[in-house]
Amino acid sequence: MTRRVGPIAPIQWFINAINVGAGHAKPLLGGTYLLLVSAVAALILVGIVVGMFLDGGNTDPSLDPAKMAKAMLPVLVVAAAVPAFVIAGIAMLVHNAHRNAPARVSDAFAGLRGGRAFHLLLLVVVPLGGLWLNGVITDAFAGPGYREAQQAAMAEVMKTGNFGALGTLPQPENSGLMMLLSIALNLLTYALQVFSAIAVVIGGRTAWSAIGSTLLGIVRNPLASLMAGVLAIVFLVAVVIGSLLLMLFAALLSAALGAIGGVLSLLLALGFVTVAGLLWVAWGYFGWREMISDEGLPPEMPASGPGQTPPDQFAA
């Protein structure tokens, strides 16, 4: 079920995200941190396995770029699939915190239980589809030969490790329009990822039902979607600026304290990413709750997997 919301509703969603995070900081930040560390560990593990596969562990940059690209495909797929599980775990933590339910670390891994994992895995089509559509936009608006030049430059980087090759790329035609379309597509992809993962893990929907309801909710609320897009850009810009300032501070710490400064810098970076990730998903949770989720469910119903009766989404 989707509902119409006011154009400034996304602002209230973000305020709610801040409030629930501030009121339940310890379990939410702890669970989010655990999830992010687990996700990074999974990506590192896949990268190690791929590295061992490449020429028997020889990852010399002069390796055939075609072979390198083919071998890196599993890393791309895993990197595209992992966010859905991270989002699902954080959303379950926020959901229970918002209901004042007991905080459990196991809630962070709710996406791996009750038949949800398969449907969360299917959501990999969202980022991969967005990646493909970005390529279509590039082909349509960058001009003839741009994609070939881009691929040749990336192959040169993979072969020689010389990132200077990227500086030889021609300027795309219609760069302004291409940038606007890419930003809009990326924001839509982010929204689909967040709302769909939440709909699967909390709403009990299948992957395709989650994607469909999310698209319908966005289409039915154009003004709220536009406001959410503007806020998302502001949020992401703030995250980028915060990251740059953090990098500068980390460099100063490392220079002043050596190895201890490096450790402190790493802890600060992890804390920053944890807070940003928690706010991003909590914001999406309240948006999903108001705009897309089902209504009228009894408060005693537990969380369920796809194909089962959906859980309570509106208990206080």
Side-chain angles (χ1 to χ4, degrees), residues 8 12 15 35 71 112 127 137 174 213 243 307:
I8 63 171
Q12 185 61 50
I15 294 173
L35 269 169
L112 300 176
I137 291 173
N174 306 306
S213 63
S243 299

Side-chain angles (χ1 to χ4, degrees), residues 87-111:
I87 291 165
I90 297 174
M92 184 58 75
L93 290 168
V94 172
H95 181 58
N96 287 338
H98 183 62
R99 296 185 303 165
N100 291 317
R104 298 173 300 180
V105 175
S106 60
D107 290 336
F109 299 97

Side-chain angles (χ1 to χ4, degrees), residues 43-302:
L43 291 174
I44 291 174
L45 179 61
V46 173
I48 291 174
V49 173
V50 169
M52 294 172 61
F53 171 76
L54 286 175
D55 201 25
N58 176 21
T59 55
D60 189 282
S62 63
L63 191 65
D64 179 21
K67 183 178 180 181
M68 176 77 80
K70 184 182 295 186
M72 290 299 291
L73 184 60
V75 179
L76 174 63
V77 173
V78 172
V82 163
F85 290 90
V86 174
I87 291 165
I90 297 174
M92 184 58 75
L93 290 168
V94 172
H95 181 58
N96 287 338
H98 183 62
R99 296 185 303 165
N100 291 317
R104 298 173 300 180
V105 175
S106 60
D107 290 336
F109 299 97
L112 300 176
R113 302 195 302 266
R116 301 177 180 94
F118 175 70
H119 290 274
L120 288 173
L121 188 61
L122 289 179
L123 293 180
V124 73
V125 301
V126 174
L128 292 182
L131 186 64
W132 177 75
L133 287 174
N134 266 310
V136 172
I137 291 173
T138 299
D139 288 338
F141 296 98
Y146 182 82
R147 172 68 77 88
E148 290 75 12
Q150 187 182 53
Q151 291 174 344
M154 288 304 299
E156 181 69 18
V157 170
M158 293 173 67
K159 187 174 182 179
T160 66
N162 177 23
F163 284 89
L166 297 177
T168 63
L169 284 174
Q171 287 296 318
E173 300 175 8
N174 306 306
S175 58
L177 180 59
M178 186 176 75
M179 182 181 70
L180 288 175
L181 289 174
S182 294
I183 290 174
L185 175 61
N186 289 333
L187 289 175
L188 176 61
T189 301
Y190 296 152
L192 281 173
Q193 277 187 302
V194 173
F195 286 149
S196 297
I198 295 171
V200 167
V201 76
I202 299 177
R205 292 180 179 268
T206 64
W208 314 125
S209 173
I211 293 173
S213 63
T214 297
L215 285 172
L216 183 59
I218 292 172
V219 170
R220 290 190 65 186
N221 295 278
L223 293 180
S225 299
L226 181 61
M227 173 63 76
V230 171
L231 289 177
I233 292 174
V234 172
F235 179 81
L236 293 173
V237 169
V239 168
V240 171
I241 293 174
S243 299
L244 293 175
L245 293 175
L246 190 61
M247 289 172 60
L248 177 60
F249 185 63
L252 294 175
L253 272 180
S254 297
L257 301 176
I260 296 177
V263 173
L264 292 175
S265 300
L266 179 60
L267 292 176
L268 285 173
L270 289 174
F272 179 79
V273 172
T274 298
V275 171
L278 174 59
L279 282 177
W280 182 260
V281 177
W283 183 32
Y285 166 78
F286 286 105
W288 167 83
R289 176 187 171 98
E290 183 175 345
M291 192 169 67
I292 300 171
S293 64
D294 297 320
E295 291 183 291
L297 300 172
E300 67 273 14
M301 291 177 63

